[in-house]
mmCIF file of all heavy atoms in Angstrom:
data_model
loop_
_atom_site.group_PDB
_atom_site.id
_atom_site.type_symbol
_atom_site.label_atom_id
_atom_site.label_comp_id
_atom_site.label_asym_id
_atom_site.label_seq_id
_atom_site.Cartn_x
_atom_site.Cartn_y
_atom_site.Cartn_z
ATOM 1 N N TYR A 1 -52.719 22.353 -143.937
ATOM 2 C CA TYR A 1 -52.097 21.211 -144.579
ATOM 3 C C TYR A 1 -50.895 20.615 -143.861
ATOM 4 O O TYR A 1 -50.669 19.566 -143.770
ATOM 5 C CB TYR A 1 -51.699 21.689 -146.121
ATOM 6 C CG TYR A 1 -52.950 21.717 -147.041
ATOM 7 C CD1 TYR A 1 -53.016 22.689 -148.009
ATOM 8 C CD2 TYR A 1 -54.032 20.786 -146.993
ATOM 9 C CE1 TYR A 1 -54.012 22.812 -148.971
ATOM 10 C CE2 TYR A 1 -54.985 21.017 -147.926
ATOM 11 C CZ TYR A 1 -55.097 21.927 -148.846
ATOM 12 O OH TYR A 1 -56.133 21.999 -149.809
ATOM 13 N N ALA A 2 -49.857 21.821 -143.499
ATOM 14 C CA ALA A 2 -48.548 21.317 -142.889
ATOM 15 C C ALA A 2 -49.016 20.653 -141.619
ATOM 16 O O ALA A 2 -48.229 19.643 -141.185
ATOM 17 C CB ALA A 2 -47.816 22.565 -142.499
ATOM 18 N N ARG A 3 -49.967 20.997 -140.748
ATOM 19 C CA ARG A 3 -50.223 20.414 -139.462
ATOM 20 C C ARG A 3 -50.971 19.102 -139.559
ATOM 21 O O ARG A 3 -51.244 18.452 -138.530
ATOM 22 C CB ARG A 3 -51.020 21.487 -138.606
ATOM 23 C CG ARG A 3 -50.352 22.770 -138.357
ATOM 24 C CD ARG A 3 -49.053 22.731 -137.668
ATOM 25 N NE ARG A 3 -49.140 21.874 -136.395
ATOM 26 C CZ ARG A 3 -48.136 21.878 -135.455
ATOM 27 N NH1 ARG A 3 -47.013 22.670 -135.640
ATOM 28 N NH2 ARG A 3 -48.117 21.242 -134.361
ATOM 29 N N THR A 4 -51.645 18.792 -140.764
ATOM 30 C CA THR A 4 -52.399 17.629 -140.946
ATOM 31 C C THR A 4 -51.818 16.577 -141.735
ATOM 32 O O THR A 4 -52.466 15.704 -142.341
ATOM 33 C CB THR A 4 -53.965 18.022 -141.367
ATOM 34 O OG1 THR A 4 -53.679 18.670 -142.685
ATOM 35 C CG2 THR A 4 -54.574 18.750 -140.392
ATOM 36 N N GLY A 5 -50.390 16.754 -141.935
ATOM 37 C CA GLY A 5 -49.677 15.719 -142.705
ATOM 38 C C GLY A 5 -49.817 15.786 -144.193
ATOM 39 O O GLY A 5 -49.243 14.860 -144.903
ATOM 40 N N GLU A 6 -50.384 16.863 -144.763
ATOM 41 C CA GLU A 6 -50.520 17.021 -146.239
ATOM 42 C C GLU A 6 -49.292 17.898 -146.645
ATOM 43 O O GLU A 6 -49.448 19.047 -147.170
ATOM 44 C CB GLU A 6 -51.869 17.656 -146.537
ATOM 45 C CG GLU A 6 -53.119 16.827 -146.333
ATOM 46 C CD GLU A 6 -53.187 15.605 -147.173
ATOM 47 O OE1 GLU A 6 -52.535 15.625 -148.337
ATOM 48 O OE2 GLU A 6 -53.762 14.566 -146.789
ATOM 49 N N SER A 7 -48.075 17.368 -146.464
ATOM 50 C CA SER A 7 -46.795 18.193 -146.884
ATOM 51 C C SER A 7 -46.772 18.619 -148.299
ATOM 52 O O SER A 7 -46.437 19.777 -148.574
ATOM 53 C CB SER A 7 -45.624 17.402 -146.557
ATOM 54 O OG SER A 7 -45.642 17.055 -145.168
ATOM 55 N N ASP A 8 -47.233 17.784 -149.159
ATOM 56 C CA ASP A 8 -47.110 18.074 -150.674
ATOM 57 C C ASP A 8 -47.946 19.381 -150.928
ATOM 58 O O ASP A 8 -47.579 20.313 -151.581
ATOM 59 C CB ASP A 8 -47.564 16.985 -151.502
ATOM 60 C CG ASP A 8 -46.618 15.752 -151.503
ATOM 61 O OD1 ASP A 8 -45.472 15.922 -150.872
ATOM 62 O OD2 ASP A 8 -46.761 14.764 -152.089
ATOM 63 N N GLU A 9 -49.224 19.276 -150.490
ATOM 64 C CA GLU A 9 -50.227 20.328 -150.646
ATOM 65 C C GLU A 9 -49.662 21.701 -149.955
ATOM 66 O O GLU A 9 -49.757 22.796 -150.583
ATOM 67 C CB GLU A 9 -51.501 20.018 -150.079
ATOM 68 C CG GLU A 9 -52.280 18.900 -150.737
ATOM 69 C CD GLU A 9 -52.742 19.337 -152.146
ATOM 70 O OE1 GLU A 9 -53.001 20.455 -152.429
ATOM 71 O OE2 GLU A 9 -52.940 18.401 -153.007
ATOM 72 N N ALA A 10 -49.023 21.671 -148.720
ATOM 73 C CA ALA A 10 -48.617 22.618 -148.055
ATOM 74 C C ALA A 10 -47.440 23.387 -148.755
ATOM 75 O O ALA A 10 -47.463 24.548 -149.052
ATOM 76 C CB ALA A 10 -48.162 22.251 -146.649
ATOM 77 N N ILE A 11 -46.514 22.600 -149.182
ATOM 78 C CA ILE A 11 -45.369 23.152 -149.912
ATOM 79 C C ILE A 11 -45.677 23.805 -151.246
ATOM 80 O O ILE A 11 -45.184 24.962 -151.541
ATOM 81 C CB ILE A 11 -44.157 22.074 -150.040
ATOM 82 C CG1 ILE A 11 -43.456 22.006 -148.626
ATOM 83 C CG2 ILE A 11 -43.096 22.461 -151.043
ATOM 84 C CD1 ILE A 11 -42.768 20.736 -148.431
ATOM 85 N N LYS A 12 -46.566 23.089 -152.000
ATOM 86 C CA LYS A 12 -46.988 23.666 -153.314
ATOM 87 C C LYS A 12 -47.656 25.028 -153.005
ATOM 88 O O LYS A 12 -47.367 25.959 -153.736
ATOM 89 C CB LYS A 12 -48.062 22.616 -153.914
ATOM 90 C CG LYS A 12 -48.076 22.595 -155.354
ATOM 91 C CD LYS A 12 -48.751 21.246 -155.932
ATOM 92 C CE LYS A 12 -50.212 21.257 -155.467
ATOM 93 N NZ LYS A 12 -50.778 19.856 -155.593
ATOM 94 N N LEU A 13 -48.523 25.190 -152.002
ATOM 95 C CA LEU A 13 -49.082 26.413 -151.790
ATOM 96 C C LEU A 13 -48.243 27.488 -151.277
ATOM 97 O O LEU A 13 -48.235 28.577 -151.650
ATOM 98 C CB LEU A 13 -50.280 26.048 -150.678
ATOM 99 C CG LEU A 13 -51.572 27.140 -150.572
ATOM 100 C CD1 LEU A 13 -52.041 27.437 -152.007
ATOM 101 C CD2 LEU A 13 -52.567 26.469 -149.786
ATOM 102 N N ILE A 14 -47.259 27.124 -150.393
ATOM 103 C CA ILE A 14 -46.275 28.073 -149.866
ATOM 104 C C ILE A 14 -45.427 28.666 -150.988
ATOM 105 O O ILE A 14 -45.251 29.838 -151.153
ATOM 106 C CB ILE A 14 -45.334 27.226 -148.901
ATOM 107 C CG1 ILE A 14 -46.094 27.028 -147.537
ATOM 108 C CG2 ILE A 14 -44.114 28.291 -148.530
ATOM 109 C CD1 ILE A 14 -45.338 26.146 -146.630
ATOM 110 N N GLU A 15 -44.966 27.831 -151.944
ATOM 111 C CA GLU A 15 -44.181 28.267 -153.038
ATOM 112 C C GLU A 15 -44.954 29.326 -153.852
ATOM 113 O O GLU A 15 -44.397 30.344 -154.396
ATOM 114 C CB GLU A 15 -43.767 27.113 -154.028
ATOM 115 C CG GLU A 15 -42.539 26.207 -153.325
ATOM 116 C CD GLU A 15 -42.358 24.957 -154.155
ATOM 117 O OE1 GLU A 15 -43.145 24.449 -154.981
ATOM 118 O OE2 GLU A 15 -41.237 24.445 -153.873
ATOM 119 N N LYS A 16 -46.161 29.079 -154.062
ATOM 120 C CA LYS A 16 -46.967 29.978 -154.895
ATOM 121 C C LYS A 16 -47.245 31.260 -154.005
ATOM 122 O O LYS A 16 -47.126 32.303 -154.568
ATOM 123 C CB LYS A 16 -48.330 29.314 -155.251
ATOM 124 C CG LYS A 16 -49.277 30.097 -156.010
ATOM 125 C CD LYS A 16 -50.624 29.332 -156.228
ATOM 126 C CE LYS A 16 -51.778 30.356 -156.441
ATOM 127 N NZ LYS A 16 -53.086 29.616 -156.379
ATOM 128 N N LEU A 17 -47.660 31.167 -152.758
ATOM 129 C CA LEU A 17 -48.017 32.248 -151.876
ATOM 130 C C LEU A 17 -46.738 33.205 -151.737
ATOM 131 O O LEU A 17 -47.171 34.378 -151.533
ATOM 132 C CB LEU A 17 -48.681 31.901 -150.646
ATOM 133 C CG LEU A 17 -49.980 31.211 -150.752
ATOM 134 C CD1 LEU A 17 -50.418 30.552 -149.505
ATOM 135 C CD2 LEU A 17 -51.078 32.241 -151.160
ATOM 136 N N LEU A 18 -45.718 32.658 -151.773
ATOM 137 C CA LEU A 18 -44.441 33.629 -151.360
ATOM 138 C C LEU A 18 -44.334 34.604 -152.563
ATOM 139 O O LEU A 18 -43.410 35.478 -152.358
ATOM 140 C CB LEU A 18 -43.184 32.657 -151.303
ATOM 141 C CG LEU A 18 -42.942 32.246 -149.807
ATOM 142 C CD1 LEU A 18 -41.820 31.187 -149.693
ATOM 143 C CD2 LEU A 18 -42.807 33.294 -148.754
ATOM 144 N N THR A 19 -44.868 34.303 -153.734
ATOM 145 C CA THR A 19 -44.740 35.252 -154.820
ATOM 146 C C THR A 19 -46.050 36.222 -154.928
ATOM 147 O O THR A 19 -46.095 37.020 -155.937
ATOM 148 C CB THR A 19 -44.496 34.532 -156.153
ATOM 149 O OG1 THR A 19 -45.722 33.724 -156.447
ATOM 150 C CG2 THR A 19 -43.401 33.548 -156.008
ATOM 151 N N LEU A 20 -46.988 35.990 -154.089
ATOM 152 C CA LEU A 20 -48.251 36.844 -154.210
ATOM 153 C C LEU A 20 -48.325 37.919 -153.053
ATOM 154 O O LEU A 20 -47.785 37.545 -151.918
ATOM 155 C CB LEU A 20 -49.378 35.971 -154.266
ATOM 156 C CG LEU A 20 -49.563 34.869 -155.347
ATOM 157 C CD1 LEU A 20 -50.831 33.981 -155.018
ATOM 158 C CD2 LEU A 20 -49.623 35.542 -156.684
ATOM 159 N N PRO A 21 -48.960 38.946 -153.342
ATOM 160 C CA PRO A 21 -49.115 40.018 -152.256
ATOM 161 C C PRO A 21 -49.934 39.435 -151.151
ATOM 162 O O PRO A 21 -50.837 38.592 -151.370
ATOM 163 C CB PRO A 21 -49.876 41.126 -152.919
ATOM 164 C CG PRO A 21 -49.835 40.874 -154.399
ATOM 165 C CD PRO A 21 -49.540 39.462 -154.555
ATOM 166 N N ALA A 22 -49.745 39.937 -149.947
ATOM 167 C CA ALA A 22 -50.669 39.479 -148.725
ATOM 168 C C ALA A 22 -50.501 40.529 -147.771
ATOM 169 O O ALA A 22 -49.659 41.534 -147.843
ATOM 170 C CB ALA A 22 -50.091 38.122 -148.162
ATOM 171 N N THR A 23 -51.383 40.641 -146.738
ATOM 172 C CA THR A 23 -51.491 41.794 -145.806
ATOM 173 C C THR A 23 -50.332 41.864 -144.804
ATOM 174 O O THR A 23 -50.136 42.907 -144.263
ATOM 175 C CB THR A 23 -52.764 41.827 -145.050
ATOM 176 O OG1 THR A 23 -52.946 40.466 -144.410
ATOM 177 C CG2 THR A 23 -53.965 42.176 -145.959
ATOM 178 N N MET A 24 -49.619 40.795 -144.719
ATOM 179 C CA MET A 24 -48.382 40.776 -143.790
ATOM 180 C C MET A 24 -48.613 41.254 -142.522
ATOM 181 O O MET A 24 -47.926 42.171 -141.936
ATOM 182 C CB MET A 24 -47.231 41.694 -144.543
ATOM 183 C CG MET A 24 -46.862 41.163 -145.922
ATOM 184 S SD MET A 24 -46.164 39.597 -145.666
ATOM 185 C CE MET A 24 -46.316 39.121 -147.462
ATOM 186 N N GLY A 25 -49.681 40.761 -141.772
ATOM 187 C CA GLY A 25 -50.020 41.258 -140.514
ATOM 188 C C GLY A 25 -48.801 40.876 -139.524
ATOM 189 O O GLY A 25 -48.071 39.845 -139.770
ATOM 190 N N THR A 26 -48.641 41.568 -138.499
ATOM 191 C CA THR A 26 -47.501 41.315 -137.517
ATOM 192 C C THR A 26 -47.964 40.192 -136.640
ATOM 193 O O THR A 26 -46.967 39.624 -135.954
ATOM 194 C CB THR A 26 -47.129 42.578 -136.808
ATOM 195 O OG1 THR A 26 -48.195 43.079 -136.036
ATOM 196 C CG2 THR A 26 -46.514 43.671 -137.698
ATOM 197 N N TYR A 27 -49.142 39.870 -136.392
ATOM 198 C CA TYR A 27 -49.538 38.782 -135.389
ATOM 199 C C TYR A 27 -49.990 37.372 -135.909
ATOM 200 O O TYR A 27 -49.547 36.511 -135.356
ATOM 201 C CB TYR A 27 -50.709 39.400 -134.613
ATOM 202 C CG TYR A 27 -50.345 40.520 -133.748
ATOM 203 C CD1 TYR A 27 -51.325 41.612 -133.725
ATOM 204 C CD2 TYR A 27 -49.217 40.681 -133.216
ATOM 205 C CE1 TYR A 27 -51.004 42.688 -132.885
ATOM 206 C CE2 TYR A 27 -48.777 41.755 -132.292
ATOM 207 C CZ TYR A 27 -49.761 42.882 -132.197
ATOM 208 O OH TYR A 27 -49.505 43.939 -131.571
ATOM 209 N N PRO A 28 -50.559 37.406 -137.253
ATOM 210 C CA PRO A 28 -51.054 35.987 -137.473
ATOM 211 C C PRO A 28 -49.905 34.996 -137.741
ATOM 212 O O PRO A 28 -48.824 35.210 -138.120
ATOM 213 C CB PRO A 28 -51.703 36.183 -138.873
ATOM 214 C CG PRO A 28 -52.049 37.690 -138.991
ATOM 215 C CD PRO A 28 -51.015 38.377 -138.168
ATOM 216 N N ILE A 29 -50.085 33.716 -137.214
ATOM 217 C CA ILE A 29 -49.116 32.721 -137.137
ATOM 218 C C ILE A 29 -48.763 32.173 -138.615
ATOM 219 O O ILE A 29 -47.810 31.489 -138.729
ATOM 220 C CB ILE A 29 -49.380 31.559 -136.224
ATOM 221 C CG1 ILE A 29 -50.783 30.931 -136.544
ATOM 222 C CG2 ILE A 29 -49.447 31.980 -134.686
ATOM 223 C CD1 ILE A 29 -51.074 29.650 -135.719
ATOM 224 N N PHE A 30 -49.697 32.479 -139.417
ATOM 225 C CA PHE A 30 -49.568 31.965 -140.811
ATOM 226 C C PHE A 30 -49.037 32.982 -141.886
ATOM 227 O O PHE A 30 -49.039 32.723 -143.136
ATOM 228 C CB PHE A 30 -50.830 31.394 -141.349
ATOM 229 C CG PHE A 30 -52.003 32.383 -141.149
ATOM 230 C CD1 PHE A 30 -52.110 33.437 -142.157
ATOM 231 C CD2 PHE A 30 -52.871 32.277 -140.144
ATOM 232 C CE1 PHE A 30 -53.221 34.292 -142.124
ATOM 233 C CE2 PHE A 30 -53.918 33.199 -140.039
ATOM 234 C CZ PHE A 30 -54.134 34.148 -140.965
#
């Protein structure tokens, strides 16, 4: 979303995902 100009969608998702568990790989760019 961030790279395709959908900033609203990107930020909404980032805010939610920063509160959810994830695998926290050391390499993925996302």
